[in-house]
Amino acid sequence: MAEYATIQPKTDLVADWERLFKVFIRPEDDDCRATLIKYMERILFGLHDFLKKNVGITEARSLKDLSESFTDTLISENPEKKLADVITCLIKEIAPHAVNVASPYFVGHMTSAIPFFMVHLKTIVAALNQNVVKLETSKVVSIIEKQVIAKIHRMIYDKTEAFYREHVQNADTSLGAFVEGGTTAAYDRAQHVSDVVVALRDLLSSMGAGGRITHQEDILPIDLDASNKINIHHLKNTISRLKTHSPRTCILAIVGIAGATETGTVDPLEQIAEICSRHKIHFHVDAAWGGATLFSKKYRHLLSGIDFADSVTIDGHKQFYMPMSCGMLYFKDPLSMDAIAYHANYVNRWGSVDLGIKTLSGSREANSLVLDCALKIMGAKGYSLLIDHGIETAADFAEEIRSRDNFQLVTPPELNILTYRICPRNLQNRLMRVGADERRQINQKLNAVNRDLQRIQREAGSSFVSRTKFKVNNDPDDEIVVLRSVIMNPMTTISILREILDEQEEIFLKQLQHLI
Ligand SMILES: Cc1ncc(COP(=O)(O)O)c(C=O)c1O
């Protein structure tokens, strides 16, 4: 086999056994040790300050320009840099071109600031480097994982003390599993339900992904009603249509969402549960986003019915404020996960209690340790404060949008996500009076304005909201572009949100008003 090409860096660093031992066992020397500690401190406390001082959300360097700077395809033969230099480069040259998701002005996506202790916890997980696929590489960590899974299971299902005593460390049963993310949770779920899945709302991306390992055409989207929740009438009709016209088709699962990606709405879980129970269909709730609302005594009722679900997805990297990425899947029945049990001779042997037996993932980091410690550091009340802040700030934001003449609130927040658009009051009134053709024309112009507005604000780089598109008025040809805000950063206040609206209004009035 031909040797692959390498490059010789312009340094006198060499890769040899002496240096290798230092990399594995201890920093090279006292100076290097001091530098590493200094940078750890910088990462913990200074990285976001550094970003705040030097860039807003992200620097205005174009993607094209950036990609032209990263075209090296040769690995260097000897080391190019010491770790301390690599860290300096990451902080000063790479981080500014990443996205400062911790900024309180970054309110467009479900990714935000995390408590600084998460960095400590993640560092410990990396340092221990346990592999939870099997006990031989994790021991107590697998046991802690079962415990923390039982804690979240209890928050969802609230079964009896005796139930949890029986299952918390039962090697033959499983209350849930950690996976990479909400999408993988859908994969795991889809693996159980591979005939027909009735997905709720317009093909949620994660169910679409789950469908990649089933058959996309087996996932049936159900219409939404005017409040962006699953249209129960259409769901019932779909079930009876399938039963009448395709009697051999088995409807294996119905998916309800607790905190929809685009609008944050929660489907009528109790009603869906009742339909599932009547037709003996598996009921899955995607609470990847909204699951943590259960922490809040004040707002947990918004998820009522979730305890009827046969399975539930929750993402740790969303409202549990964990670093990327940590998906979880919970099952009401502790034997449900037997359906995907698999064994191999080198791992997950028959009769073993390895956690890897009952998940689709193979090797896995010990995210459960991060979650378990985070629950201890925050307490349910700490999480509840975050949830309440998000929901209440979103409600205030909605009021602020309603009070401004140039904006239209499109989907009011049920949890902490809302959508709105630039649509001056006179146009809002006109849209209510005109016929379908004129309405579509007006919406198209407004769409161009809102699309440009979102881009201009993003490129200016000091604040960020996302945008998405909805079909409206039951008209397949009438789609509206909306701005989408997700309020999860505890530092995001109503006055920051007012500033974001001010900036948007100014962009509209100075640059885009002529388009409508
Ligand atoms: C409701 C919901 N479910 C599932 C997912 C997918 O999760 P992940 O990105 O962790 O795979 C998302 C992502 O935003 C979501 O909002």
Side-chain angles (χ1 to χ4, degrees), residues 407-477:
F407 290 95
Q408 179 185 28
L409 184 66
V410 178
T411 57
E414 185 173 6
L415 298 177
N416 49 0
I417 300 176
L418 58 80
T419 66
Y420 62 102
R421 64 175 177 166
I422 287 281
C423 178
R425 195 80 71 210
N426 61 331
L427 277 186
Q428 290 179 40
N429 294 335
R430 218 166 109 207
L431 280 166
M432 283 192 281
R433 290 194 309 265
V434 296
D437 281 346
E438 194 175 341
R439 195 185 60 222
R440 281 184 219 132
Q441 277 169 19
I442 297 173
N443 277 335
Q444 273 170 21
K445 285 186 184 161
L446 286 166
N447 289 352
V449 167
N450 282 283
R451 217 176 280 125
D452 283 356
L453 172 78
Q454 194 265 351
R455 180 185 48 77
I456 293 168
Q457 188 172 37
R458 186 190 64 215
E459 287 174 358
S462 51
S463 45
F464 174 79
V465 302
S466 57
R467 76 174 148 78
T468 183
K469 213 158 62 169
F470 298 139
K471 287 199 174 44
V472 281
N473 305 310
N474 282 327
D475 177 352
D477 296 323

Side-chain angles (χ1 to χ4, degrees), residues 110 180-184 204-206 257-262 286-290 313 315 317-318 325 327 484:
M110 295 164 149
E180 283 79 11
T183 305
T184 327
L204 172 80
S205 66
S206 64
I257 296 193
T261 314
E262 298 201 317
D286 179 345
W289 176 252
T313 301
D315 268 353
H317 54 264
K318 293 194 167 83
S325 68
R484 168 175 169 268

